[in-house]
Amino acid sequence: MKVGLFFGSFNPIHVGHLIIANVAHQSTELDQVWFIVSPQNPFKKNKNLLHEFDRYDLVQAAIEDDYHFRASDVEFQMPRPSYTVDTLAVLTEKHPDHSFTLIIGEDNLGSFTKWKNHQVILDHYGLIVYPRPNAQKSDLTEHSNVRLIEAPEMDISATLIRKMIRANRSIKYLVPARVEEMIQARKLFI
């Protein structure tokens, strides 16, 4: 099975994430897209970062009706901070019959060479890159294992969504209805 890995804090997951994942799935040969929920980095305390289990539950709620999508908590059991290359090694060991590719925003491509063992990721896994507003051009776009896809330039901000929640404003249409219901029921981000 060909799996695209979409890493993020998903704090909270919103329609921008889902649109990008769907476009990546529809415009490539991917069988599934897995949302890799990144746990809180203990070295970067962020009071706005919801607990990883709540964020995982929100991702599950957002994708529950789409069998092409899957939520993964693989990094919850890994040493922290976790590095993408290490997560890829764990997933490859757990799922030797799958091939994995990273889905990243064009804004991350410029700094990709600073990632731990970036060459291993490029050579053995590859990248599917979606456009991001104001992203700098990168020489990596010419790499044979980098695939640029056409997608809407999503600029939906989880920060804005959290501010709207705290201000008791509606987040309808910014997040799936099931996610909005769960945020309200659990009183998240307040």
Side-chain angles (χ1 to χ4, degrees):
M1 182 177 351
K2 295 180 180 177
V3 178
L5 302 176
F6 194 4
F7 286 75
S9 60
F10 304 113
N11 191 44
I13 189 167
H14 53 67
V15 296
H17 297 128
L18 298 171
I19 290 168
I20 294 301
N22 189 59
V23 169
H25 172 256
Q26 294 295 316
S27 60
T28 66
E29 64 288 337
L30 294 176
D31 298 303
Q32 288 188 336
V33 173
W34 294 2
F35 292 79
I36 310 295
V37 181
S38 300
Q40 182 168 358
N41 182 333
F43 304 109
K44 291 184 181 177
K45 294 294 181 193
N46 182 346
K47 62 183 170 108
N48 294 318
L49 189 61
L50 200 61
H51 191 279
E52 58 208 47
F53 293 118
D54 285 319
R55 292 182 286 117
Y56 177 82
D57 288 348
L58 292 175
V59 171
Q60 286 276 62
I63 64 172
E64 64 189 355
D65 294 333
D66 194 329
Y67 67 92
H68 293 111
F69 293 162
R70 177 176 159 189
S72 174
D73 61 359
V74 65
E75 289 192 338
F76 294 9
Q77 293 84 38
M78 293 178 61
R80 299 178 191 189
S82 53
Y83 295 96
T84 301
V85 71
D86 298 331
T87 305
L88 286 164
V90 168
L91 287 171
T92 300
E93 186 176 326
K94 281 185 176 182
H95 306 280
D97 54 333
H98 292 20
S99 65
F100 296 103
T101 306
L102 254 64
I103 300 169
I104 68 169
E106 191 177 10
D107 51 336
N108 286 315
L109 198 57
S111 61
F112 186 75
T113 56
K114 295 177 183 166
W115 291 26
K116 179 182 175 186
N117 296 344
H118 74 277
Q119 199 62 51
V120 171
I121 297 171
L122 272 174
D123 293 344
H124 298 283
Y125 299 97
L127 306 174
I128 295 170
V129 181
Y130 61 89
R132 290 285 292 148
N134 305 314
Q136 301 296 318
K137 293 298 175 199
S138 167
D139 293 340
L140 287 178
T141 58
E142 304 301 318
H143 192 283
S144 61
N145 282 349
V146 172
R147 180 170 177 185
L148 297 163
I149 60 170
E150 287 186 22
E153 288 194 23
M154 304 304 299
D155 201 16
I156 298 173
S157 162
T159 302
L160 174 62
I161 292 170
R162 292 191 304 272
K163 283 181 186 174
M164 292 173 73
I165 293 167
R166 285 192 294 275
N168 202 27
R169 292 171 46 208
S170 172
I171 56 171
K172 187 176 185 176
Y173 307 121
L174 292 171
V175 300
R178 183 74 184 96
V179 170
E180 183 179 19
E181 290 166 13
M182 192 177 288
I183 288 171
Q184 290 171 349
R186 295 186 183 182
K187 298 182 177 6
L188 303 175
F189 301 111
I190 295 176

